[in-house]
Amino acid sequence: MSLPHAILTALLERPSSGLELTRRFDRSIGYFWSATHQQIYRELGKLEQGGLIEAVPQPPSRGQRKEYLVLPAGRSELTRWVGQAQDPKPIRDPLLLRLRAAAVVGTEGLDVELQRHLVEHRRQLDEYLEIEQRDFPAGGGSGGRSGGGDRLHHLVLKGGIALETFWVEWLVEAIADLGGERPERS
Amino acid sequence: MSLPHAILTALLERPSSGLELTRRFDRSIGYFWSATHQQIYRELGKLEQGGLIEAVPQPPSRGQRKEYLVLPAGRSELTRWVGQAQDPKPIRDPLLLRLRAAAVVGTEGLDVELQRHLVEHRRQLDEYLEIEQRDFPAGGGSGGRSGGGDRLHHLVLKGGIALETFWVEWLVEAIADLGGERPERS
DNA sequence: AAGGCCATGTAAGTAGTTACATGATTGA
DNA sequence: TCAATCATGTAACTACTTACATGGCCTT
């Protein structure tokens, strides 16, 4: 049950309408928890019904913009969730699975896929690095200046950077390994 | 649609019954694609109906063991899937999300959670390292001896090791960072 | 008044999770 | 024959995805 809490977080950072939230889920929050507009609208409905958020009073008609803000109940629910015990989710990755399958049925077409993934992960890594340079310039230590919020944001970003770095390095090794295998067969 | 292909891979490695598959999904394959027995039985039914696998002839009654093996159609479907274009899944991690939420509502209870996750990831990392020592002793190069299958298996395992290493390192940094924040508030 | 875009939604389908049900076999 | 365990399944629910529908507003 992460989506409602992702939305609460986003709305606390800034009250928004559904469409604005959707856009913010295409970057920022969405970097580690993606969601489509359908999910978001549905969830906004549930959260409002549950009394965790509230639409700012406006004539609510169909094609009309609706802005939401978080109620105290929503904030305390989010606080509770942050400290709640949750087991780490096991890895669930189709690409690793495909390599395992390739060990049985052969690697045909796989090298192209690895290349594609490598390009994409490099792109994402660059994007993160740019954000880091923009939002957290120089200060490797982030040494105590500016509130804890920034420090946490940087920590999350560094998580993303390290993850993409892992993928890039692993893919480079995998591609080399796969390429080095061909000679056996020719 | 990864589960059917995970099952096909497992069945090609060794024909099995539903329960045996379930056990194998608790380790091995399950390290990067987990599944419960309910999912597995349902999917076995679909795969059989689709003509991708077949139950070895036995009087099929309810509590009776049923062994499956992969048909040619199943093997070629798996081959197709290995080379198929699939975009990398974006990161989707509740823990990173919780840090982001903590930047807004405070870090109460979070340090305990980070410790718990650290313990769990260290345990998983150790498990992987033991498997590596057992199945791929010494030969860092895995230099051409024994088929490509082993090489691919090792590659997948090294992926798991690198991922768990990432988590351990990131969590250590996060815990240190969070700890260093307290003084501001006392 | 027509087309494009902003904004909110509904509907249907797939995948995964949780709880429970049922039959077969074996050993005390 | 009772309990435990092996083995296969059903049912109900939640989360996510894909495709489509509807209304309002602005420009030409």
Side-chain angles (χ1 to χ4, degrees):
Chain A
M1 293 243 304
S2 294
L3 179 58
H5 302 96
I7 291 179
L8 287 173
T9 304
L11 285 182
L12 278 171
E13 288 175 355
R14 175 155 30 91
S16 308
S17 67
L19 192 61
E20 275 174 321
L21 275 179
T22 302
R23 293 204 216 289
R24 291 170 62 196
F25 270 79
D26 285 340
R27 35 176 183 67
S28 187
I29 296 260
Y31 286 142
F32 39 87
W33 201 272
S34 61
T36 63
H37 82 271
Q38 292 90 339
Q39 271 182 286
I40 289 170
Y41 283 119
R42 200 154 11 101
E43 201 62 46
L44 283 172
K46 283 190 208 169
L47 288 168
E48 189 178 20
Q49 248 188 307
L52 302 188
I53 65 174
E54 171 184 71
V56 296
Q58 276 210 1
S61 73
R62 187 154 171 124
Q64 208 60 297
R65 188 191 146 87
K66 243 196 305 187
E67 179 123 346
Y68 291 95
L69 51 81
V70 179
L71 296 173
R75 178 181 282 266
S76 62
E77 165 56 25
L78 190 60
T79 306
R80 189 196 61 78
W81 181 74
V82 165
Q84 187 194 352
Q86 282 176 239
D87 286 334
K89 284 261 127 189
I91 304 168
R92 211 114 189 290
D93 190 276
L95 190 58
L96 293 173
L97 198 56
R98 284 205 277 174
L99 251 76
R100 177 84 177 229
V104 184
V105 298
T107 60
E108 188 149 12
L110 193 57
D111 43 355
V112 181
E113 273 296 279
L114 295 178
Q115 299 279 1
R116 277 190 351 105
H117 282 237
L118 177 55
V119 168
E120 179 55 29
H121 283 295
R122 278 212 235 262
R123 194 204 54 70
Q124 187 66 61
L125 177 55
D126 285 347
E127 193 176 335
Y128 288 159
L129 288 173
E130 270 173 40
I131 293 173
E132 189 177 39
Q133 285 193 338
R134 170 164 53 81
D135 293 353
F136 309 96
S142 63
R145 189 211 47 200
S146 75
D150 272 13
R151 180 180 255 153
L152 286 169
H153 280 140
H154 195 188
L155 205 49
V156 172
L157 182 57
K158 282 189 281 188
I161 289 171
L163 265 175
E164 295 300 335
T165 302
F166 149 71
W167 278 114
V168 168
E169 287 174 357
W170 182 79
L171 282 166
V172 165
E173 182 181 357
I175 289 166
D177 234 40
L178 232 66
E181 197 178 303
R182 293 259 175 272
E184 290 177 25
R185 312 197 167 197
S186 62
Chain B
M1 289 245 300
S2 295
L3 179 58
H5 302 96
I7 291 178
L8 287 173
T9 305
L11 285 182
L12 279 172
E13 289 175 354
R14 176 154 30 88
S16 307
S17 67
L19 192 62
E20 274 173 322
L21 276 179
T22 302
R23 292 203 216 290
R24 290 169 63 196
F25 271 79
D26 285 339
R27 35 175 184 68
S28 186
I29 296 258
Y31 285 142
F32 38 86
W33 202 274
S34 60
T36 62
H37 82 272
Q38 292 90 337
Q39 271 182 286
I40 288 170
Y41 283 119
R42 201 159 7 105
E43 201 61 47
L44 282 172
K46 284 190 207 168
L47 287 169
E48 189 178 19
Q49 249 188 306
L52 301 188
I53 64 173
E54 169 185 73
V56 297
Q58 275 207 1
S61 71
R62 189 158 168 118
Q64 207 62 293
R65 186 191 148 85
K66 240 195 307 189
E67 180 121 347
Y68 291 95
L69 51 82
V70 179
L71 296 173
R75 177 181 283 266
S76 60
E77 164 56 25
L78 190 60
T79 306
R80 188 197 62 77
W81 180 74
V82 164
Q84 187 194 347
Q86 282 175 240
D87 286 335
K89 285 260 126 191
I91 304 168
R92 212 116 189 290
D93 190 276
L95 189 58
L96 294 172
L97 198 57
R98 285 205 276 175
L99 250 76
R100 178 85 177 229
V104 184
V105 298
T107 60
E108 188 150 13
L110 194 57
D111 44 354
V112 181
E113 273 296 278
L114 295 178
Q115 299 279 1
R116 276 189 354 104
H117 282 238
L118 178 55
V119 167
E120 179 56 29
H121 283 294
R122 277 213 234 259
R123 194 203 55 71
Q124 187 67 61
L125 177 55
D126 285 348
E127 193 175 333
Y128 287 159
L129 288 174
E130 270 172 40
I131 293 174
E132 189 178 38
Q133 285 194 337
R134 170 163 55 80
D135 293 353
F136 309 96
S142 63
R145 191 210 47 201
S146 74
D150 271 15
R151 181 180 255 150
L152 287 169
H153 280 139
H154 195 188
L155 205 49
V156 172
L157 182 57
K158 282 190 282 190
I161 289 170
L163 265 175
E164 294 301 334
T165 302
F166 149 72
W167 278 114
V168 167
E169 286 173 359
W170 181 79
L171 282 166
V172 165
E173 181 181 356
I175 289 166
D177 234 39
L178 231 66
E181 195 176 306
R182 293 260 173 269
E184 291 178 26
R185 314 199 164 194
S186 64

